[in-house]
Amino acid sequence: MEKVLWKPGTMIYPLPAVMVSCGSKPEEYNIMTVSWTGTICTDPAMCYISVRPSRFSYGIIKKNGDYVINLTTKALAYVTDWCGVKSGAEHDKFREMGLTPVPAINVKAPLIKESPVNIECIVKEIKELGTHHMFISEVVAVHADMGLIDEKTGLFRLNDSVPLCYSHGKYYETGKFIGKFGFSVEKKRKIRKRKIKKV
């Protein structure tokens, strides 16, 4: 298929749409929506968020050195968008969106109770890249809704919560299951047919 050449830009999509909560005390609590986020290391568990210095939450996170990544769902789509377009300098986002701040274990920033997964992060380094500064962070705790854990297998069924994705300015819910990691090279089990003895 013929290609079209575009100027360099942000074309790695889809991305998770997450709500990042921050603040060391209730009167400072804030939420911002972020899509420039992801995993960068397994051991120690590390992730990042990239934030414009002009964002209200930027100064809060830089001052306190921590934040919480709260995964979002189809049910939280409106709230996620609202927290992304409104400024915490003018709005109490927890109160106005009816969200519940819950104390974290290892960081000062609160969890968002309504989120299915809350990831506590401590900032290790801030890289000034240009329009955005990257907060390289260590994951120090993860909280997951009990209702998404399979009682029989103990596996976490995040897809049951219908996670929210962001692609080119639009939100999408996740699609249908295609295959697990490694399915393309997995050896198929041979089904042995039992010989039935005629009596």
Side-chain angles (χ1 to χ4, degrees):
M1 184 179 290
E2 190 177 352
K3 302 286 186 181
V4 176
L5 182 63
W6 284 355
K7 67 177 182 178
T10 52
M11 294 299 293
I12 302 172
Y13 291 106
L15 294 163
V18 304
M19 289 189 286
V20 174
S21 49
C22 58
S24 60
K25 48 192 175 183
E27 55 268 30
E28 188 184 53
Y29 288 170
N30 192 44
I31 304 167
M32 68 172 167
T33 300
V34 170
S35 279
W36 290 180
T37 183
T39 299
I40 53 175
C41 188
T42 302
D43 186 13
M46 297 189 74
C47 63
Y48 80 94
I49 58 170
S50 286
V51 184
R52 290 179 182 271
S54 59
R55 296 288 295 270
F56 182 70
S57 292
Y58 178 93
I60 298 173
I61 295 172
K62 188 173 183 179
K63 175 175 70 75
N64 294 328
D66 64 40
Y67 58 91
V68 178
I69 293 176
N70 304 274
L71 301 192
T72 58
T73 65
K74 181 180 179 181
L76 291 170
Y78 179 86
V79 172
T80 301
D81 184 57
W82 194 91
C83 287
V85 297
K86 300 291 184 179
S87 173
E90 302 171 355
H91 297 274
D92 181 340
K93 297 183 183 181
F94 274 102
R95 182 182 60 81
E96 293 184 51
M97 285 293 98
L99 296 172
T100 312
V102 177
I105 303 297
N106 297 309
V107 301
K108 298 178 287 294
L111 318 177
I112 298 176
K113 183 180 180 181
E114 290 74 15
S115 167
V117 179
N118 318 95
I119 304 164
E120 297 185 28
C121 305
I122 292 179
V123 178
K124 293 297 180 180
E125 183 182 352
I126 303 174
K127 293 192 75 68
E128 299 183 8
L129 302 173
T131 58
H132 290 67
H133 292 183
M134 177 186 284
F135 289 86
I136 297 173
S137 312
E138 183 176 353
V139 174
V140 292
V142 176
H143 306 258
D145 284 359
M146 285 290 293
L148 295 174
I149 297 175
D150 191 300
E151 292 181 8
K152 293 181 180 179
T153 64
L155 296 175
F156 185 54
R157 305 188 314 266
L158 179 61
N159 277 346
D160 288 358
S161 71
V162 193
L164 201 62
C165 296
Y166 174 85
S167 182
H168 293 278
K170 298 177 182 178
Y171 299 107
Y172 296 89
E173 60 183 279
T174 52
K176 64 180 181 180
F177 174 74
I178 295 173
K180 67 176 184 176
F181 175 73
F183 81 99
S184 63
V185 296
E186 191 173 42
K187 291 181 180 179
K188 293 182 179 179
R189 293 180 182 176
K190 291 182 179 179
I191 301 173
R192 294 181 180 177
K193 293 182 179 180
R194 288 184 177 179
K195 292 181 179 180
I196 301 172
K197 291 182 180 180
K198 292 182 180 180
V199 179

